[in-house]
């Protein structure tokens, strides 16, 4: 049996990409949705039942995460746990799995860098960074967290980028005309405002946004911060909000150094028209996914996972199915069969 623990930010798709390969490999699944977003998992269970899977092959349990996680770790029926969430929680699962040797797949925190080089197609870079930063209100593990722009186009980039951010529509996420919806809760709003104030206190320039939007709900204005120093919390931690932190770099070597300075390595982005540079970046950037001139590089037929503190293993692609299989060697001696 497999325990599948899904996050709140993409509650249905993240669960589906854990459940589907597990079932395809012949493993029954007990799914644990995030406490903030359990309904989509229940609806998925209804779909699975309607599809005719035998009773008990797919089950959903919702409740206190620590209790459910402990049961999955301690019960010998559970042979594997696949988890998407924070790095601290992932480390707790590793500690628990050490007692039972329960197999783990872990997609943990991210701190995605974006490198924008002067030789890039400028409009492609602007649109790609907007997508990488503001998709799902910035509440994505692969969201652009640190945006580095080459000095020679830095001010031009900021002017164009800020102009586009200023016209983003904030509101109900179910409205198709809305670009930026609410954060998950009020704590997230307060944390976001604290990140902005911390960056400003350390010398960052606030170019737009920076405040709560409206007086109801957990909405924050789409925000752009420039000249953000490396010591600002938003450059070191996963901010999970529509806040773009931008600073300049001079050379390719400096850009790569900045990109790799994080303890995380889930995803990264780069915008360039130089093929040789693309190859160098592909070899040098420490991330499980690298989008070159692509603000949304994740796709179901390609493996997804992280380097360093961003996790173990891969989801999606053939590698995602391999995670639920065991390799067995069978040696046959010199005997005949009838």
């Amino acid at each position: 049996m497999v325990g599948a623990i899904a996050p709140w930010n993409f509650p249905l798709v993240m669960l589906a990409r854990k459940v589907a390969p597990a079932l395809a490999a012949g493993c029954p699944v007990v799914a644990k949705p995030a406490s903030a977003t359990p309904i989509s998992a229940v609806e998925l269970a209804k779909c699975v039942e309607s599809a005719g899977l035998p009773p008990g092959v797919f089950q959903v349990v919702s409740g206190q995460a620590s209790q459910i996680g402990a049961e999955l770790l301690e019960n010998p029926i559970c042979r594997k746990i696949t988890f998407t969430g924070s790095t601290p929680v992932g480390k707790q699962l590793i500690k628990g799995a050490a007692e039972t040797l329960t197999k783990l797949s872990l997609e943990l925190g991210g701190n995605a860098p974006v490198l924008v080089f002067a030789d890039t197609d400028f409009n492609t870079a602007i649109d790609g960074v907007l997508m990488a930063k503001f998709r799902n209100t910035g509440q994505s593990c692969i969201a652009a967290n640190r945006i580095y722009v080459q000095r020679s186009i830095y001010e031009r980039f900021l002017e164009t980028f800020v102009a586009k951010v200023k016209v983003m529509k904030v509101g109900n996420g179910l409205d198709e005309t809305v670009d930026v919806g609410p954060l998950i809760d009020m704590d997230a709003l307060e944390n976001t405002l604290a990140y902005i104030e911390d960056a400003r206190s350390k010398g960052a320039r606030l170019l737009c946004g920076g405040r709560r939007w409206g007086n109801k709900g957990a909405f924050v204005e789409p925000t752009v911060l420039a000249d953000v120093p490396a010591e600002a919390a938003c450059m070191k931690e996963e901010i999970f909000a529509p806040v773009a932190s931008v600073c300049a770099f001079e050379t390719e070597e400096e850009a790569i150094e900045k990109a790799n300075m994080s303890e995380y390595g889930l995803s990264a982005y780069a915008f360039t028209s130089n093929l040789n540079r693309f190859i160098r970046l592909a070899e040098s950037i420490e991330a499980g996914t690298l989008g070159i001139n692509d603000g949304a590089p994740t796709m179901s037929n390609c493996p997804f996972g992280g380097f360093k503190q961003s996790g173990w293993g891969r989801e999606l692609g053939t590698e995602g199915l391999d995670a639920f299989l065991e390799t067995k060697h069978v040696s046959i001696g010199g005997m005949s069969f009838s």
Side-chain angles (χ1 to χ4, degrees):
M1 185 272 284
V2 168
I5 304 175
W8 55 260
N9 57 332
F10 292 97
L12 180 57
V13 69
M14 295 299 293
L15 186 59
R17 75 190 207 183
K18 297 176 183 300
V19 172
L23 294 178
C27 305
V29 177
V30 172
K32 162 64 175 75
S35 298
T37 55
I39 296 176
S40 56
V42 174
E43 294 301 314
L44 177 61
K46 293 178 181 177
C47 293
V48 170
E49 183 180 19
S50 298
L53 265 69
V57 169
F58 176 65
Q59 302 178 66
V60 174
V61 57
S62 184
Q64 188 171 345
S66 59
Q67 294 180 349
I68 296 171
E71 178 63 25
L72 292 175
L73 286 168
E74 296 169 7
N75 195 314
I77 296 175
C78 182
R79 303 284 296 277
K80 178 182 177 67
I81 295 174
T82 172
F83 169 78
T84 296
S86 71
T87 296
V89 175
K91 290 179 178 180
Q92 290 298 316
L93 289 173
I94 292 171
K95 290 179 180 179
E99 297 296 322
T100 57
L101 293 182
T102 303
K103 294 181 179 295
L104 299 173
S105 291
L106 304 171
E107 184 212 314
L108 306 178
N111 190 0
V114 182
L115 308 181
V116 182
F117 291 89
D119 62 22
T120 188
D121 180 277
F122 189 78
N123 291 328
T124 296
I126 290 290
D127 292 342
V129 177
L130 286 168
M131 169 67 75
K133 174 66 262 183
F134 293 102
R135 186 176 66 134
N136 201 39
T137 314
Q139 298 174 119
S140 169
C141 55
I142 64 170
N145 212 66
R146 300 170 287 139
I147 303 169
Y148 301 107
V149 182
Q150 199 154 25
R151 178 72 66 183
S152 61
I153 62 168
Y154 183 63
E155 293 300 333
R156 179 189 174 200
F157 177 92
L158 287 174
E159 181 181 358
T160 306
F161 189 70
V162 168
K164 288 184 174 288
V165 172
K166 282 183 175 180
V167 298
M168 283 184 161
K169 184 177 179 180
V170 182
N172 187 336
L174 298 178
D175 182 344
E176 293 184 0
T177 68
V178 164
D179 300 302
V180 176
L183 298 175
I184 183 64
D185 54 30
M186 297 303 292
D187 285 343
L189 172 64
E190 294 301 322
N191 289 338
T192 299
L193 296 177
Y195 276 121
I196 295 169
E197 182 56 34
D198 172 78
R200 296 185 69 186
S201 72
K202 291 181 170 65
R205 289 187 288 149
L206 177 64
L207 301 187
C208 68
R211 298 174 299 180
R212 181 182 182 185
W213 181 85
N215 55 13
K216 293 182 179 179
F219 293 90
V220 65
E221 295 174 339
T223 300
V224 179
L225 295 164
D227 307 338
V228 185
E231 60 269 22
C234 62
M235 298 293 278
K236 298 184 290 185
E237 302 172 12
E238 192 172 25
I239 189 169
F240 250 58
V243 177
S245 303
V246 190
C247 57
F249 70 87
E250 299 288 349
T251 66
E252 179 183 314
E253 292 74 18
E254 180 190 357
I256 292 172
E257 181 181 0
K258 288 179 179 294
N260 290 338
M261 67 190 301
S262 173
E263 63 183 353
Y264 299 103
L266 188 60
S267 62
Y269 306 85
F271 293 87
T272 178
S273 60
N274 185 307
L275 179 60
N276 290 328
R277 173 174 286 132
F278 153 63
I279 294 171
R280 291 192 297 269
L281 294 174
E283 293 176 343
S284 302
I285 298 296
E286 298 170 351
T289 295
L290 175 60
I292 299 290
N293 303 329
D294 184 0
T298 304
M299 54 190 71
S300 60
N301 58 330
C302 297
F304 180 78
F307 290 9
K308 300 186 286 188
Q309 299 278 315
S310 289
W312 290 351
R314 294 294 183 267
E315 291 185 333
L316 306 178
T318 58
E319 293 84 354
L321 182 60
D322 290 342
F324 298 97
L325 300 172
E326 293 275 21
T327 299
K328 179 186 291 185
H329 168 225
V330 178
S331 176
I332 301 174
M335 60 178 290
S336 61
F337 296 91
S338 58

